[in-house]
């Protein structure tokens, strides 16, 4: 996991060049520090490129609710995501967009954070497995799975496997927080075969795929159909029985959960990510809201 700290600007200067710079007085202000030197080559006057997820995304739903981008007034909810935001339909799309734009900022599942982008601290707390587990990292949510009517024998056995010691160990290996740390060892069944279909969250899909592959090693006659269609679509698929199990990377509403069995398979943080060449150390939760609603539009507004 890569966390972003203030960049170090290392320059090899000859004695002659150094003397020349001193003679010229450089471009320092009265304090002796230029704004460019305070953040390397990064131009803080540039506009922020906001990268957000699509409206079907559970990550977007959870992120907006926690950060205040979503405003509730009675029964009315208003999503105030900046009009200028670049919308991506999946986690990898956000990573790619931010990694290719020095002024980009987005949000992704903590378990998907890699060296392509840099996660920033929120309210002085680093986005890590431990800070999500102890509740100190403020942007976190559950990974849910849901189904409607009784599951098929093969799907029920997969469900049991997810919540076994083996399944929960894979959750942790993938960088998420297990919900059943003291789960019992899995006991194999006989005669398990057939198709198991899962649909929904692009954030839940990677860990679901890892668990399904381990399940197939035990039951080679099982075939999985897994489609990353977004949390809302996954919930609908579970309700309509067009998929055995729906995946959602957010809490379900009372209406959504009314006719479903819902269980969290893991807990996950949502990392706010910037380009690797951005020297930003961290943001407050209020600053995150202001950036993603378009109230703050340049980096100098959030950098000291």
């Amino acid at each position: 996991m890569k966390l972003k700290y203030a960049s170090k600007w290392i320059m090899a200067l000859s004695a002659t060049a150094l003397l020349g710079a001193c003679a010229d007085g450089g471009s320092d202000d009265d304090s002796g520090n230029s704004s460019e030197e305070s953040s390397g080559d990064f131009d803080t006057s540039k506009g922020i490129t906001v990268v957000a997820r699509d409206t079907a995304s559970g990550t977007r739903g959870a992120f907006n609710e926690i950060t205040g981008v979503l405003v509730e007034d009675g029964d009315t909810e208003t999503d105030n995501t900046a009009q200028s935001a670049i919308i991506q339909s999946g986690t990898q799309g956000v990573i790619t967009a931010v990694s290719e734009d020095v002024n980009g900022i987005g949000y992704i599942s903590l378990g998907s954070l890699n060296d392509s982008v840099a996660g920033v601290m929120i309210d002085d707390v680093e986005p890590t497995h431990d800070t999500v587990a102890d509740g100190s990292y403020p942007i976190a949510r559950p990974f849910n799975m849901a189904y409607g009517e009784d599951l098929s024998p093969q799907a029920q056995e997969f469900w049991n496997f997810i919540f076994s010691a083996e399944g929960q160990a894979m959750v942790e290996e993938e960088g998420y927080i297990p919900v059943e740390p003291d789960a019992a060892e899995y006991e194999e069944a006989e005669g398990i075969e057939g198709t198991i279909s899962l649909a929904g969250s692009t954030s839940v899909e990677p860990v679901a795929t890892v668990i399904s592959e381990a399940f197939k090693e035990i039951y080679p006659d099982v075939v999985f159909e897994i489609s990353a269609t977004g949390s809302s679509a996954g919930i609908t698929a579970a309700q309509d029985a067009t998929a055995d199990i729906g995946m959602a990377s957010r809490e379900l509403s009372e209406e959504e959960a009314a006719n479903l069995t819902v269980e969290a398979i893991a807990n996950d943080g949502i990392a706010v990510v910037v380009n690797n060449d951005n020297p930003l150390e961290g943001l407050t939760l209020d600053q995150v809201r202001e950036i993603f609603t378009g109230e703050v539009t340049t980096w100098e507004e959030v950098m000291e």
Side-chain angles (χ1 to χ4, degrees):
M1 181 180 302
K2 182 173 180 180
L3 300 175
K4 195 66 177 179
Y5 298 95
S7 63
K8 297 179 180 179
W9 190 16
I10 301 174
M11 301 180 66
L13 297 174
S14 67
T16 303
L18 180 58
L19 289 172
C22 292
D24 291 340
S27 58
D28 290 355
D29 57 21
D30 292 340
S31 66
N33 295 313
S34 69
S35 61
E36 186 169 318
E37 284 181 342
S38 67
S39 58
D41 291 328
F42 188 78
D43 187 350
T44 61
S45 68
K46 295 294 186 182
I48 299 172
T49 305
V50 173
V51 182
R53 288 293 309 278
D54 57 290
T55 55
S57 164
T59 302
R60 173 169 171 158
F63 176 84
N64 284 358
E65 183 175 348
I66 295 167
T67 60
V69 173
L70 182 72
V71 175
E72 297 184 14
D73 182 9
D75 294 332
T76 302
E77 294 183 341
T78 304
D79 183 339
N80 289 321
T81 298
Q83 294 285 327
S84 60
I86 297 171
I87 304 302
Q88 298 291 339
S89 60
T91 300
Q92 189 54 51
V94 175
I95 293 173
T96 299
V98 173
S99 68
E100 293 179 351
D101 186 343
V102 71
N103 293 303
I105 186 170
Y107 51 84
I108 61 172
S109 165
L110 178 57
S112 300
L113 182 59
N114 58 38
D115 288 342
S116 300
V117 291
V120 301
M121 293 186 292
I122 305 299
D123 288 343
D124 296 321
V125 181
E126 299 174 357
T128 69
H129 181 283
D130 290 341
T131 59
V132 172
D134 67 23
S136 60
Y137 183 70
I139 312 178
R141 44 68 188 277
F143 276 1
N144 284 313
M145 285 193 175
Y147 64 88
E149 299 296 328
D150 292 340
L151 291 169
S152 65
Q154 62 270 25
Q156 181 63 63
E157 201 59 37
F158 178 61
W159 187 272
N160 296 342
F161 185 68
I162 292 170
F163 294 98
S164 70
E166 291 84 348
Q168 289 295 290
M170 281 178 262
V171 164
E172 189 164 22
E173 288 167 5
E174 292 302 303
Y176 305 104
I177 315 300
V179 294
E180 297 286 353
D182 299 320
E185 297 291 324
Y186 178 69
E187 296 184 6
E188 295 184 21
E190 295 183 358
I192 301 301
E193 60 182 8
T195 300
I196 302 172
S197 58
L198 291 82
S201 169
T202 62
S203 296
V204 181
E205 181 269 333
V207 68
T209 296
V210 168
I211 299 174
S212 71
E213 290 170 350
F215 189 78
K216 272 188 64 65
E217 291 182 7
I218 303 172
Y219 305 109
D221 292 330
V222 168
V223 175
F224 278 91
E225 296 176 350
I226 303 178
S227 56
T229 51
S231 293
S232 296
I235 295 166
T236 299
Q239 292 170 329
D240 296 345
T242 52
D244 294 311
I245 298 172
M247 305 177 290
S249 55
R250 60 169 174 79
E251 296 282 7
L252 275 65
S253 68
E254 290 185 10
E255 183 178 354
E256 289 174 329
N259 298 311
L260 296 174
T261 297
V262 184
E263 294 288 345
I265 69 166
N267 289 307
D268 178 46
I270 301 176
V272 177
V273 295
V274 296
N275 187 277
N276 282 329
D277 291 328
N278 187 328
L280 180 70
E281 282 191 36
L283 297 165
T284 66
L285 204 58
D286 281 342
Q287 286 174 324
V288 172
R289 174 185 54 77
E290 290 167 348
I291 288 171
F292 282 89
T293 58
E295 296 173 52
V296 165
T297 58
T298 62
W299 290 111
E300 60 191 357
E301 296 175 76
V302 291
M303 288 186 182
E304 295 181 357

